[in-house]
Amino acid sequence: MPRRFRAASAVLARRIAGWAAALAVILLTSSLPARAEIALTDVTGREVTLAAPAHRLLIDDGRFLIALALIHRDPVSVLAAWPRDINRIGTHTYEAYRAKFPAIDQLAKVASSAGALSVEQVVAARPDLAVFSLGAQPTPEERARIEAAGIPVVVIDFFTHPLTNLEPSLTLLGEATGRAAQARDFLAFRRERLDAVRAKLDGLAKDERPRVFLEPHAAMTADCCNSPGRGNVGDIIEAVGGTNIGAAVIPRAFGKLNLEYVIAQDPQVYIATGGSHMEGTAGLLIGPEYSAERARETLARVVARPGFSDLAAVRDHRVHGLSHQMLNSPLDLFTVEILAKWIHPERFAALDVDRTVAEVNERFLAVPVEGPNWISLD
């Protein structure tokens, strides 16, 4: 074959090989699924779309860190900012997170849901998703300013209606951070445990629902008395077969009852909440910072206040103490189970809440829950 023909054939062969390679790349890439956007629906019904999983969340409540710890082995690694509201998770719990995830000290600080939102703070933290509490969500004007900076905004809720909103809230956090499967696993476990509680209450008559007085931050101040109303832990009291005495007169999640009303209602079960934030008050000291003996001693002091000794709950030795950190928490399952035992001890005699805690610690939580978080006076 003449030289010029051999050269032309070689050029043609190279071109054909190049075209074949290019075609193979096109076919391969066209067969790969495009990276799907992440569609989120928050508890207000608003829809937000993320181009990729979030890895710089801003949260306005430290308890959202506990929620992330249920679905992520390093929850701090997906945070850009938090409010450092250590009282909401407890000092011991905070130190446990800090020891395991020292990067928590480098997170930007933003206002908590109990404070005044600062748009400037939010924008300066440069999150790729801002997560706010239902009761403290941005105003439409604030939201517009945050979104104008390229920061999507979502709203979740573990406070106002926990039994309704916890599941969609944790689902959103899982989808937003690429941990949807882990969120589904925990929620399936929680659903199974809640269904078991409901089954035990099947057929409960109205007159079998004892009157319950749960006093948050009991004896923190001299005036009486804090109480849940409609929503929050009041929903849980009703769900586990009790009658929340505050629901009839407090239209919000929390409010105040006067002592005369409490005495007139004569609650059959009394539950105080407290924690390390109650140091320096006459209130309940409970949680991993204290021994069970210390918690019981301070609970006795709480019900030694004037007017309490004549309550049916005190006379019948149905006085209990609960860590406030168990309220408004993604760990509400523990509160459901322990309140069920206290309100209907016969129906739930076999329920082992400590076993539930141990299973959640082993299977889900990045940092285990430590106690005592509940106590009974007798």
Side-chain angles (χ1 to χ4, degrees), residues 84-165:
R84 289 188 63 84
D85 47 349
I86 294 167
N87 62 299
R88 284 177 163 171
I89 63 174
T91 54
H92 181 91
T93 299
Y94 166 70
E95 290 300 337
Y97 275 82
R98 189 167 178 255
K100 190 167 185 179
F101 308 114
I104 198 170
D105 286 339
Q106 277 68 60
L107 298 178
K109 184 179 184 299
V110 291
S112 83
S113 58
L117 188 151
S118 165
V119 173
E120 291 74 17
Q121 264 187 347
V122 172
V123 173
R126 298 181 294 106
D128 52 14
L129 182 65
V131 185
F132 293 101
S133 305
L134 178 61
Q137 61 183 296
T139 65
E141 186 271 336
E142 289 169 334
R143 182 192 300 273
R145 290 171 59 197
I146 294 169
E147 292 177 336
I151 302 168
V153 172
V154 291
V155 175
I156 64 175
D157 177 43
F158 300 125
F159 179 90
T160 306
H161 293 293
L163 294 178
T164 301
N165 289 337

Side-chain angles (χ1 to χ4, degrees), residues 186-198 333 337 359 363:
F186 174 73
L187 290 171
F189 171 81
R190 174 180 179 269
R191 204 176 301 123
E192 179 184 353
R193 303 297 299 176
L194 293 181
D195 287 347
V197 170
R198 293 187 187 101
L333 171 59
E337 290 194 344
E359 189 165 356
R363 291 180 54 188

